[in-house]
Amino acid sequence: MNPRTDIEVLTEAEAKAELADLANQLAAANDAYHREDAPQISDAEYDALKQRNAAIEARFPQLVREDSPSLQVGAVPLAGFGKITHSIPMLSLANAFDSDDIREFDTSVRKFLGLGPEADLSYTAEPKIDGLSLSLRYENGKLIEAATRGDGRVGENVTANARTIDDIPTELDDAPKVLEVRGEVYMSHADFEALNKRQAARSEKTFANPRNAAAGSLRQLDAGITKSRPLRFFAYAWGSVSDPLATTQMAAIERLRKLGFRTNPATRLCSGPAEMLANYEEIEEQRATLGYDIDGVVYKVNDLGLQGRLGFRSTTPRWAIAHKFPAELAWTTLEGIDIQVGRTGALSPVARLSPVTVGGVVVSNATLHNEDYIAGLDSKGGEIRGGKDIRVGDWVQVYRAGDVIPKVADVDLAKRPEDSKPYDFPTKCPECGSEAPREPGDAVRRCSGGLICPAQAVEKLKHFVSRAAFDIDGLGAKQVEQFYSDGWIAEPADIFTLQSRYGDGLQQLKNREGWGEKSAKALFDAIEDKRKIPLRRFLFGLGIRHVGEAASNLIALHYGEWAILDQAMRDAAPKRGAAWDDLLGIDGVGVVMAGSLVGAFAQEAERASIERLAAELEILPATRSDVTGSPVAGKTVVFTGALELMTRAEAKARAERLGAKVAGSVSAKTDILIAGPRAGSKATKAAELGIEILDEAAWLALLDGA
Ligand code: D41
């Protein structure tokens, strides 16, 4: 592609000409793709053109063309929706299930801020709408982008669809130059019933509940369909804003309402846990008459200054919590128990149920957790359900809370068939026949077959291509199973050699069922696209037990580069010594995770598989991309002595937010020691090593310069 002029320096005339050119190119690309079935540009090029178009439109909203590619209803991007990276991630909410959790939430907020029990601290309370979150970006008062939440970092571009929703204004008066409004798209009960009737009358798909109907209606490639669906939107939060909306949550919501958004009229201010809990009961009473589904109440610290100080953990803000309504229950019969073998070999029992509706959703499978759970025991050998075991043929209670996997919670012994027998949990893997022993301290049996077990291999591959890992478009669970069973891929590295091993991979793939020239080419492009992969995704993609997404991120940031991480894993293999201590020193990495991690790297077959994969890739170093420019980004700091202006927790969180690494002890790698009164040996050691020592006030002054 030709080098392009920086958008910042484009003149209006140049921008106008380029927008016309982009509209032409994109229209031609769409035509080639849809009509001639012969794409002329790659997905990546297509996306780059669309992005360029959107960026120019953002700077010159007055030049947005009638036929702008970003406005076109029904303009189908190549692989489903385009992607949008949220400028500020869309966080999740921590959950509370009872009043103790709410009191603890208040206590932890106070503790973090160093506030005593008598200090004023108010919270907003609002119904938690059961829909799907959406982020709307306005620039100069014009709606320019709408994105679903996706994985919180990257969502789907549903701009054309969002424009069809009546509750979503496309223009705002008196709005900040940049304003991202976040909220929930949902469908009312009445609209949902009417939609299902209409669908049924036309022999089209009906929806299980309003939430599914809302999701299915918003995620339509043809925005014309979205337009015909009665979607609504409540605003409850914001992302980037060029000028603060207000100083409190309550006032910010009021500002959004004045800007033309619908906000929930049931939002209230509460002075503390007692009022929050009273409000919860009130909302629970109104639940049936609200006219739309809610699944709890959300509380947020009202003072936005305090919200800022509280910040967030890896995926949830410290200043908000969702108090969920109790789960829905139903009774049905247990028809059978299947054993599924997971990525790490765990044998998981799954209940096959006679289908039953639980809170609007038909459930026919539910988890039974593990062997002990079926036997009526907890992880420490104590009794659960009064020691009642669960048997095939039993009358069982199914429980479902929000999005979580349904569980079998209880059993009615009075209805137990006379000839029933206790369930005999298999001791061999049902997939590969290997022994499935249960290690001391482990709650589950695990297949010992490792990579020879097809179930483990397939699950590892599915994990590898999943969204938080390599996220390869067009290669989902179904395709992985197909390729695996045909012997095309056995481990992650094989994905990257697929095209070359099959000589003309395209020819072979496009002749397979379910594949055409277009999708085959798109797949190979998507695979090539992921040859460059950030270290955190690489590590998470390995699917090592206990090493989740958040931990992968922390570990990647700690070591920075693949070569360093790789070496550190070898050095830490004896589970003692400096490399081991260093690994355990990462906040959030405990002995169990560290052991699993070094164990995976030390295991011969696994290590070889990792090396084959690494050889196919360019693994990008981990960077704290969001904090460049901070004076402490990348620095290692240690706190010692008493802090007087904020709690230790807040100081640590703030330093990390600005890109610093907070260590527990002073070493040659330490850049700054922040020493409060009564600092002891750490300060002495730092002085010996010639490390910069700041008092708390000097440290804060340094940060304020940020
Ligand atoms: O009504 C809701 N579903 C709702 C969801 C709400 N009223 N407030 C919310 N606030 C947030 C934060 C605090 C992270 C801005 C939310 C959600 N998040 C949320 N919904 C789904 C994931 C997160």
Side-chain angles (χ1 to χ4, degrees):
M1 229 173 292
N2 297 329
R4 304 271 193 177
T5 320
D6 230 353
I7 291 171
E8 304 301 307
V9 301
L10 274 183
T11 65
E12 189 163 336
E14 285 167 342
K16 194 168 175 193
E18 191 173 342
L19 286 176
D21 182 43
L22 285 165
N24 272 334
Q25 284 193 52
L26 284 161
N30 274 337
D31 265 16
Y33 185 79
H34 292 291
R35 283 213 263 288
E36 294 150 36
D37 194 17
Q40 295 172 343
I41 58 175
S42 71
D43 281 13
E45 284 167 323
Y46 181 91
D47 286 344
L49 291 179
K50 279 207 93 151
Q51 268 169 18
R52 172 93 185 161
N53 185 73
I56 297 176
E57 288 179 343
R59 192 171 156 227
F60 298 100
Q62 72 278 18
L63 297 182
V64 174
R65 299 165 58 91
E66 291 259 306
D67 67 345
S68 161
S70 56
L71 300 182
Q72 269 171 44
V73 173
V76 189
L78 294 184
F81 294 98
K83 291 191 173 169
I84 290 182
T85 302
H86 300 296
S87 61
I88 295 179
M90 290 182 81
L91 300 173
S92 319
L93 283 166
N95 287 323
F97 297 100
D98 57 30
S99 35
D100 280 348
D101 291 347
I102 294 304
R103 283 185 280 265
E104 265 167 42
F105 167 66
D106 177 62
T107 309
S108 71
V109 167
R110 287 174 185 276
K111 189 163 166 226
F112 188 93
L113 295 169
L115 295 177
E118 62 306 312
D120 281 346
L121 184 60
S122 60
Y123 299 90
T124 59
E126 65 200 288
K128 182 169 186 298
I129 316 294
D130 196 5
L132 58 150
S133 347
L134 187 69
S135 183
L136 307 167
R137 185 174 173 96
Y138 293 84
E139 289 182 11
N140 301 311
K142 291 205 165 54
L143 175 63
I144 62 152
E145 248 174 26
T148 61
R149 180 168 186 282
D151 63 3
R153 277 183 5 98
V154 179
E156 285 174 327
N157 185 342
V158 291
T159 312
N161 309 41
R163 285 178 187 282
T164 71
I165 300 175
D166 288 343
D167 286 346
I168 296 181
T170 51
E171 281 189 41
L172 305 176
D173 280 338
D174 272 338
K177 217 165 142 32
V178 174
L179 170 63
E180 282 176 8
V181 176
R182 293 174 174 180
E184 204 84 354
V185 172
Y186 67 100
M187 199 177 280
S188 75
H189 291 152
D191 288 340
F192 164 71
E193 303 291 345
L195 172 64
N196 262 358
K197 276 212 185 96
R198 246 177 23 229
Q199 293 284 102
R202 289 191 242 144
S203 310
E204 286 188 42
K205 179 184 160 169
T206 58
F207 298 96
N209 54 49
R211 185 177 190 282
N212 288 3
S217 301
L218 183 69
R219 296 187 69 263
Q220 285 287 341
L221 288 173
D222 177 356
I225 299 181
T226 308
K227 192 172 167 61
S228 74
R229 303 280 174 82
L231 293 175
R232 300 174 188 232
F233 180 80
F234 269 132
Y236 56 66
W238 54 93
S240 293
V241 275
S242 51
D243 303 295
L245 291 172
T247 58
T248 64
Q249 178 75 28
M250 210 60 182
I253 296 302
E254 178 57 17
R255 176 87 196 279
L256 291 178
R257 196 184 65 77
K258 290 214 171 99
L259 282 166
F261 292 94
R262 289 209 316 125
T263 58
N264 200 308
T267 308
R268 298 279 179 273
L269 197 61
C270 302
S271 64
E275 284 189 22
M276 288 150 85
L277 295 171
N279 184 264
Y280 174 84
E281 283 181 19
E282 242 172 72
I283 292 182
E284 200 172 20
E285 277 164 25
Q286 296 167 6
R287 188 177 185 185
T289 56
L290 284 173
Y292 49 82
D293 277 353
I294 61 172
D295 59 350
V297 178
V298 186
Y299 308 111
K300 300 175 185 174
V301 169
N302 189 40
D303 184 316
L304 298 185
L306 297 182
Q307 284 190 7
R309 282 176 58 195
L310 285 156
F312 35 87
R313 310 168 197 94
S314 59
T315 61
T316 56
R318 289 195 187 84
W319 43 267
I321 198 158
H323 191 176
K324 302 297 272 286
F325 291 138
E328 319 236 21
L329 301 171
W331 287 86
T332 187
T333 41
L334 177 60
E335 308 275 348
I337 297 177
D338 286 352
I339 301 290
Q340 287 181 350
V341 182
R343 166 167 63 82
T344 58
L347 266 47
S348 306
V350 177
R352 298 286 169 234
L353 304 164
S354 167
V356 60
T357 307
V358 193
V361 176
V362 178
V363 170
S364 47
N365 303 319
T367 177
L368 284 162
H369 302 286
N370 55 44
E371 184 175 11
D372 284 350
Y373 189 82
I374 296 175
L377 302 171
D378 69 16
S379 59
K380 298 187 186 72
E383 287 187 350
I384 49 172
R385 298 184 301 268
K388 291 181 281 184
D389 70 333
I390 295 173
R391 303 181 182 186
V392 173
D394 270 343
W395 185 243
V396 292
Q397 186 190 53
V398 186
Y399 158 114
R400 187 182 146 264
D403 289 343
V404 303
I405 304 167
K407 298 177 192 178
V408 171
D410 204 359
V411 49
D412 186 348
L413 291 187
K415 295 196 175 173
R416 172 166 284 175
E418 295 209 343
D419 56 352
S420 80
K421 293 191 186 58
Y423 180 67
D424 213 359
F425 203 93
T427 57
K428 286 197 163 62
C429 173
E431 299 286 339
C432 72
S434 303
E435 287 298 324
R438 189 167 160 190
E439 302 296 336
D442 200 345
V444 302
R445 285 187 176 276
R446 282 176 203 278
C447 163
S448 57
L451 294 174
I452 70 141
C453 174
Q456 285 187 54
V458 168
E459 290 308 316
K460 253 186 139 67
L461 283 163
K462 283 188 198 165
H463 170 83
F464 183 81
V465 299
S466 67
R467 187 138 85 173
F470 273 62
D471 189 21
I472 299 178
D473 275 343
L475 193 55
K478 212 177 80 200
Q479 292 80 6
V480 161
E481 274 173 11
Q482 188 189 26
F483 289 170
Y484 182 86
S485 69
D486 293 354
W488 279 35
I489 57 174
E491 60 169 27
D494 298 339
I495 293 171
F496 292 94
T497 56
L498 193 57
Q499 192 167 16
S500 63
R501 276 185 295 126
Y502 284 83
D504 189 352
L506 222 155
Q507 280 307 323
Q508 295 220 20
L509 184 55
K510 77 170 204 200
N511 292 328
R512 302 178 61 127
E513 205 191 314
W515 292 91
E517 169 119 20
K518 217 163 52 179
S519 52
K521 178 161 181 342
L523 174 65
F524 288 127
D525 285 348
I527 292 173
E528 283 315 304
D529 201 41
K530 296 295 157 78
R531 256 188 220 280
K532 281 192 187 162
I533 196 84
L535 182 56
R536 64 185 165 85
R537 282 185 180 263
F538 173 80
L539 184 60
F540 179 63
L542 297 179
I544 297 168
R545 198 169 150 219
H546 302 300
V547 184
E549 200 183 340
S552 300
N553 206 0
L554 294 170
I555 296 166
L557 280 171
H558 182 79
Y559 294 107
E561 286 173 36
W562 164 238
I564 296 173
L565 193 161
D566 189 25
Q567 186 60 46
M569 293 304 112
R570 296 166 200 254
D571 295 346
K575 299 197 186 175
R576 57 187 149 69
W580 175 252
D581 291 344
D582 186 51
L583 176 59
L584 285 178
I586 303 173
D587 201 11
V589 176
V591 180
V592 173
M593 193 198 297
S596 170
L597 193 60
V598 301
F601 277 79
Q603 208 269 330
E604 213 174 307
E606 184 125 8
R607 141 132 250 134
S609 168
I610 295 173
E611 278 172 7
R612 283 191 291 272
L613 173 63
E616 293 296 326
L617 305 171
E618 181 184 338
I619 302 166
L620 307 171
T623 49
R624 296 171 193 264
S625 57
D626 46 342
V627 287
T628 49
S630 140
V632 297
K635 301 231 161 125
T636 300
V637 305
V638 176
F639 290 97
T640 186
L643 296 181
E644 292 166 324
L645 301 171
M646 56 176 76
T647 62
R648 191 61 83 86
E650 183 178 358
K652 181 164 185 272
R654 181 150 177 214
E656 285 174 346
R657 197 152 64 211
L658 289 166
K661 185 168 133 186
V662 180
S665 61
V666 171
S667 76
K669 289 190 204 152
T670 310
D671 294 300
I672 305 174
L673 180 80
I674 297 98
R678 298 184 295 285
S681 61
K682 286 182 193 170
T684 320
K685 183 162 178 199
E688 278 168 18
L689 290 169
I691 289 164
E692 182 176 11
I693 302 179
L694 299 178
D695 66 14
E696 193 181 0
W699 160 252
L700 291 176
L702 173 67
L703 298 189
D704 282 342

